[in-house]
Amino acid sequence: MQYQSQAVAKPYFIAAIALFTGQILFGLIMGMQYVVGDFLFPEIPFNVARMVHTNLLIVWLLFGFMGAAYYMVPEESETELYSPKLAIALFWIFLLAGAATVLGYLFVPYATLAELTGNDLLATMGREFLEQPLPTKLGIVVVALAFLFNITMTVLKGRKTAISTVLLIGLWGLAIFFLFSFYNPHNLVKDKYYWWWVVHLWVEGVWELILGALLAFVLIKVTGVDREVIEKWLYVIITLTLVTGIIGTGHHYYWIGAPEYWQWWGSIFSALEPIPFFAMTVFAFNMVNRRRREHPNKAAVLWALGTGVMAFLGAGVWGFLHTLAPVNYYTHGSQITAAHGHMAFYGAYVMVVLTLISYAMPIIRGRAANSNKAQVLEMWSFWLMTIAMVFITLFLTAAGILQVWLQRVAEVPMSFMATQDQVALFYWMREWAGVMFLIGLIVYIVSFFVNGDDKATAR
Ligand code: HEM
Ligand code: HEM
Ligand SMILES: [Fe+2]
């Protein structure tokens, strides 16, 4: 570790992995409820499990991004973090607020929670991904602003690099677009319209800049390729991202009551969105092939390459599958959407955070890389989780195709619930793949606790 303050990333990474585990457990609970309707009812209703699953996902990814920024920015800026104390304080505030929110979801009926937390003052709750009570939303803004202050001050007092600039733009964008979660017009068309300014402009806009910056950072470190080369790739990727992704928002405006021209604009621009994801894959493989050194952390290299491939498959290929208006007319809101949502979130954001943790954690713990034994376990966890996610995606895709057929195409369309019964086999298979994912995650966690006296990789 070149700068002492980089160590503040460690609690962020640990919390990220702990919340990740919680997310997966609730995913498994819901997967079970899909096939055994009253599983854990009334203790954990499906809608509650769903909020916990998706909100934990977002919150742990944010912990991951913040940890990544605290680790990367001092090294990129060649100076200590502006205020390590602030970073630690924010960690606890964010963790406690997050935990309180999840406990609120689990133990207080949602309507009561809304009443208790001032939703009548400013109604923001009840929308997918943005279910958080008002105080939590305000807390997120405060933590985000203080975090951005800390990171921005560090960049300003040190060396400015393309990577830290792109990272900063991405993180500022993340905070700014979150502000639309406070805008909740009565008009349902407007509500949906701006809801996507958070959800779509996050994952297909500003988060992609964060993804690019994290990937570029790790690639520089593990390959030793010249910074100039890597920066050129990064510029091309973020340009392609913004040119396609911003107007690409239109692929969510087909059927919500927005003007009809969105069917064209949304289809054309979002059909181009896979290009930056493809460029990211080529980028990762190209840099690793041109590497100037053999970095002892093989696991981190594997995660970096895997991120490129899986992000392209999940976001690029599975996104393209249903992005054209004439296709989306049939597939909208089906299991095809869920298949894509899972693989895209996993391939792009879960994997890039794990890439950074894989690279940075050993160094924070005082060695260039983990022992061979620990790395072998970590690579096992990579394959278990990644292959499990491929299965989850394929099973949901199969369920989705059947669902669309039976419910929307067949001559005598079936009702929603009757259709769900017909595809139950695929939901069972999804659940088993989910168990495999959990095993992969457990192996991943175990890999942190095996040291093995491998002197070759110790510093
Ligand atoms: C890493 C990037 C991405 C992530 C994390 C992601 C995630 C998601 C999620 C979670 C949803 C479901 C939203 C909801 O209704 O609750 C969704 C919807 C959608 N995504 Fe993506 N996505 C990504 C990139 C893309 C790309 C590149 C494309 C197009 C090529 C795309 C096309 C779509 C479409 C068309 C829908 C709407 C599906 C429907 O009508 O039901 N996505 N995405
Ligand atoms: C890292 C791994 C995972 C990620 C990134 C993830 C992400 C997501 C996202 C983004 C959604 C919202 C999807 C949408 O609205 O279309 C969701 C819903 C869901 N997830 Fe996951 N998930 C993961 C693992 C799992 C696992 C292992 C299971 C269970 C086997 C699971 C089961 C579910 C279920 C049942 C839903 C609700 C779908 C619905 O509303 O019909 N997830 N997940
Ligand atoms: Fe989108």
Side-chain angles (χ1 to χ4, degrees):
M1 203 167 48
Q2 293 173 17
Y3 297 89
Q4 232 184 350
S5 51
Q6 289 178 285
V8 301
K10 190 176 176 182
Y12 281 86
F13 292 154
I14 294 172
I17 295 167
L19 299 175
F20 181 19
T21 311
Q23 182 221 329
I24 297 308
L25 292 177
F26 280 88
L28 285 168
I29 292 176
M30 267 192 297
M32 199 63 198
Q33 291 172 337
Y34 248 80
V35 281
V36 180
D38 52 8
F39 180 68
L40 288 189
F41 190 82
E43 286 76 23
I44 306 180
F46 180 85
N47 65 314
V48 172
R50 196 181 198 288
M51 282 195 291
V52 176
H53 180 66
T54 53
N55 289 20
L56 279 179
L57 168 68
I58 304 298
V59 167
W60 85 256
L61 290 177
L62 293 181
F63 268 109
F65 291 166
M66 289 195 273
Y70 286 133
Y71 183 84
M72 286 163 58
V73 166
E75 200 163 312
E76 284 294 297
S77 309
E78 298 184 330
T79 175
E80 292 288 353
L81 190 65
Y82 179 75
S83 170
K85 280 209 184 92
L86 178 61
I88 295 293
L90 291 176
F91 169 78
W92 287 110
I93 296 172
F94 198 46
L95 188 66
L96 292 176
T101 305
V102 169
L103 292 178
Y105 291 160
L106 285 171
F107 295 109
V108 184
Y110 194 67
T112 317
L113 189 65
E115 247 171 61
L116 291 175
T117 55
N119 196 54
D120 48 346
L121 295 176
L122 179 63
T124 66
M125 291 172 71
R127 297 174 297 165
E128 194 198 353
F129 293 113
L130 307 181
E131 294 96 345
Q132 309 82 15
L134 188 58
T136 309
K137 284 201 183 80
L138 293 170
I140 293 173
V141 172
V142 171
V143 168
L145 285 180
F147 157 76
L148 283 167
F149 168 75
N150 207 353
I151 291 291
T152 308
M153 292 304 282
T154 312
V155 173
L156 288 180
K157 79 181 164 91
R159 178 178 72 151
K160 281 112 196 132
T161 67
I163 291 182
S164 54
T165 308
V166 171
L167 181 66
L168 266 186
I169 298 173
L171 292 167
W172 274 99
L174 185 159
I176 288 166
F177 285 114
F178 183 70
L179 295 179
F180 285 94
S181 75
F182 292 95
Y183 180 59
N184 185 10
H186 282 292
N187 181 319
L188 206 56
V189 178
K190 280 192 189 163
D191 170 13
K192 282 279 142 195
Y193 195 91
Y194 290 103
W195 180 82
W196 287 109
W197 285 33
V198 188
V199 178
H200 171 101
L201 289 180
W202 264 11
V203 299
E204 290 156 76
V206 289
W207 284 32
E208 252 178 275
L209 308 196
I210 301 173
L211 167 64
L214 266 55
L215 205 54
F217 176 81
V218 174
L219 286 172
I220 287 189
K221 300 293 166 182
V222 298
T223 65
V225 170
D226 278 345
R227 185 174 277 276
E228 291 68 41
V229 179
I230 288 190
E231 286 177 347
K232 270 184 202 131
W233 273 96
L234 188 58
Y235 283 130
V236 171
I237 288 170
I238 66 161
T239 306
L240 287 168
T241 295
L242 296 175
V243 167
T244 61
I246 296 175
I247 301 178
T249 318
H251 64 182
H252 303 294
Y253 293 166
Y254 300 153
W255 331 113
I256 64 168
E260 218 175 288
Y261 55 74
W262 280 116
Q263 306 219 347
W264 287 98
W265 288 102
S267 295
I268 293 168
F269 278 84
S270 73
L272 302 174
E273 283 184 40
I275 299 172
F277 284 101
F278 185 67
M280 244 177 284
T281 315
V282 177
F283 170 47
F285 276 88
N286 213 324
M287 294 307 109
V288 171
N289 285 336
R290 289 164 61 170
R291 67 187 177 277
R292 293 233 194 109
R293 65 163 93 104
E294 291 300 328
H295 197 277
N297 194 339
K298 299 274 177 287
V301 178
L302 180 64
W303 280 112
L305 293 174
T307 304
V309 174
M310 294 300 290
F312 173 64
L313 282 179
V317 178
W318 255 263
F320 182 79
L321 219 61
H322 58 163
T323 206
L324 299 174
V327 178
N328 192 266
Y329 178 75
Y330 290 101
T331 60
H332 179 57
S334 67
Q335 293 298 330
I336 308 260
T337 309
H340 155 68
H342 276 86
M343 200 191 242
F345 255 114
Y346 175 76
Y349 301 116
V350 170
M351 287 184 84
V352 81
V353 167
L354 298 187
T355 301
L356 209 107
I357 293 180
S358 179
Y359 171 74
M361 263 306 237
I363 299 176
I364 295 176
R365 296 166 84 195
R367 44 186 181 259
N370 286 327
S371 68
N372 271 332
K373 209 168 134 195
Q375 286 197 44
V376 168
L377 266 188
E378 189 182 340
M379 292 195 228
W380 265 99
S381 79
F382 169 96
W383 288 109
L384 281 168
M385 286 195 275
T386 303
I387 292 173
M389 188 47 81
V390 169
F391 279 129
I392 291 179
T393 308
L394 291 176
F395 295 147
L396 289 179
T397 306
I401 293 172
L402 271 173
Q403 177 194 6
V404 168
W405 185 263
L406 295 172
Q407 196 187 318
R408 297 176 180 173
V409 180
E411 232 156 88
V412 188
M414 288 168 97
S415 73
F416 175 82
M417 286 312 281
T419 307
Q420 297 298 315
D421 267 348
Q422 294 295 313
V423 298
L425 176 64
F426 290 107
Y427 294 143
W428 274 113
M429 298 203 283
R430 181 263 301 267
E431 186 68 352
W432 284 112
V435 172
M436 177 175 168
F437 193 99
L438 178 66
I439 294 172
L441 178 55
I442 294 170
V443 173
Y444 179 72
I445 293 170
V446 169
S447 80
F448 284 85
F449 296 94
V450 239
N451 16 38
D453 293 319
D454 202 331
K455 294 274 173 345
T457 52
R459 237 209 302 223

